[in-house]
Amino acid sequence: MSIELEQVSYIYHPATPFARSALHALSLHISAGETLGITGDVGAGKSTLLQMINGLLQPSSGRVLVDGHDVAAMGKRELADLRRRVGLVFQHPERQIFADSVFDEIAFGPRNAGLSRQEISERVEWAGQAVGLPGSIKDRHALKLSAGEQRRVALAGILALQPSYLLLDEPTAGLDGEGAATLMETLTRIGRQPGQTIVMVSHNLRQLLALSQRIVWLREGRIWLDLRREEIIAHYVTLRQSYQLPEVLNVMHALRELGWPLDPAALTPETLGAAIAEHIKGR
């Protein structure tokens, strides 16, 4: 199982004066069970890429394959099945909440999939627990919750479909520090589930470093860098010339320049702190 983009290009408003190219002959392989971060400047094509994987947009050229099947060749029924397997959480998903209760909001997808009442209840319960929602919240009106809680309800609605691939577009945008931290803890927990694939778009490199096994940088619709987390520190100088980097990368680079043999994959404050402590202990 995998997602494959083969020489994919996408043009908005083709053959008009407003034509704009968003992706240019982009090729990308995403393995099942992988947690991939995607970042880049505004207009780099990040959101377009997610919508093409989910089948909301069709490539102007090239192919998007999900588990070996060409998305562009799918009929309506196949696309509906694809979107149950490839769940897309839009930026500010809480703006799409419409149900009267948290339960009904999370249950919407499973009901449309024709599941039994018992299975719907089980999925709502499981998805609510997965995102850290208390059981007492299920009868409350979703629109009366905090922004962070609404974001988790929206995420639970996608998880209730039990997608193999979870796509997230700036999932912490607009949340306060506590809400963002809680959501990232939820995503980290979900990402540990066997076989679960996560593709997260974000401008927040610190969050991507904490979550992702691999990060892709897009620039003007093309892949600029594609690095596994243990390779990132080796490209520190190149990255620093284009981006404001999180402090953990700055500290890691400075210590390695001094000759400290730190694990290049220790790119969170917690793992770097542990690596530093271990080095000091062994001196």
Side-chain angles (χ1 to χ4, degrees), residues 180-191:
T182 300
L183 185 58
M184 288 303 300
E185 289 171 5
T186 297
L187 295 175
T188 299
R189 188 167 59 249
I190 292 169

Side-chain angles (χ1 to χ4, degrees), residues 238-274:
T238 299
L239 288 167
R240 186 182 59 186
Q241 292 171 353
S242 299
Y243 297 97
Q244 182 175 354
L245 300 180
E247 197 60 31
V248 66
L249 278 179
N250 297 330
V251 173
M252 167 71 83
H253 175 73
L255 292 177
R256 285 172 64 87
E257 286 290 289
L258 292 173
W260 288 40
L262 300 175
D263 181 357
L267 297 180
T268 67
E270 295 77 16
T271 56
L272 180 57

Side-chain angles (χ1 to χ4, degrees), residues 21-37:
S21 185
L23 296 175
H24 307 272
L26 184 147
S27 294
L28 178 66
H29 177 85
I30 304 169
S31 300
E34 183 175 20
T35 303
L36 174 70

Side-chain angles (χ1 to χ4, degrees), residues 1 21 26 49 52 59-60 75 95 103 105 107 110 117 130 139 151 159 171 215-217 235 237 241 253 256:
M1 296 176 66
S21 185
L26 184 147
L49 178 58
M52 296 185 74
S60 303
R95 295 175 183 172
F103 182 94
E105 184 65 35
R117 286 188 178 183
D139 294 324
R151 192 73 55 92
L159 290 179
I215 298 179
V216 168
W217 279 262
H235 292 76
V237 174
Q241 292 171 353
H253 175 73
R256 285 172 64 87

Side-chain angles (χ1 to χ4, degrees), residues 32 37 41 64-65 112-113 127 135 147 159 164 173 207 236 247 255 257 283:
D41 297 330
V64 178
L65 305 174
N112 274 3
L159 290 179
S164 300
Q207 292 178 352
Y236 173 85
E247 197 60 31
L255 292 177
E257 286 290 289
R283 294 183 71 175

Side-chain angles (χ1 to χ4, degrees), residues 8-16 18-24 48 52 57-61:
V8 168
S9 296
Y10 187 80
I11 301 173
Y12 285 98
H13 312 297
T16 75
F18 307 102
R20 177 175 66 85
S21 185
L23 296 175
H24 307 272
T48 301
M52 296 185 74
L57 297 176
Q58 301 294 341
S60 303
S61 62

Side-chain angles (χ1 to χ4, degrees), residues 36-48 50 91-92 151 168-174 184 199-212 215-220 239 242-247 249:
L36 174 70
I38 298 177
T39 191
D41 297 330
V42 174
K46 304 182 296 297
S47 297
T48 301
L50 290 189
Q91 191 174 158
H92 300 296
R151 192 73 55 92
L168 302 136
D169 193 356
E170 298 283 2
T172 63
M184 288 303 300
V199 182
M200 175 174 157
V201 161
S202 179
H203 286 96
N204 192 318
L205 186 55
R206 178 179 58 82
Q207 292 178 352
L208 292 182
L209 289 172
L211 181 71
S212 308
I215 298 179
V216 168
W217 279 262
L218 295 185
R219 179 174 286 180
E220 297 180 348
L239 288 167
S242 299
Y243 297 97
Q244 182 175 354
L245 300 180
E247 197 60 31
L249 278 179

Side-chain angles (χ1 to χ4, degrees), residues 5 9 12 41 55 62 65 73 90 92-93 100 102 107 123 152 156 158 166 177 190 232 235 246 266 268:
L5 285 82
S9 296
Y12 285 98
D41 297 330
L65 305 174
F90 291 97
H92 300 296
D100 290 335
V102 170
R123 289 207 184 187
R152 282 185 281 161
I158 297 295
L166 181 61
I190 292 169
I232 291 171
H235 292 76
T268 67

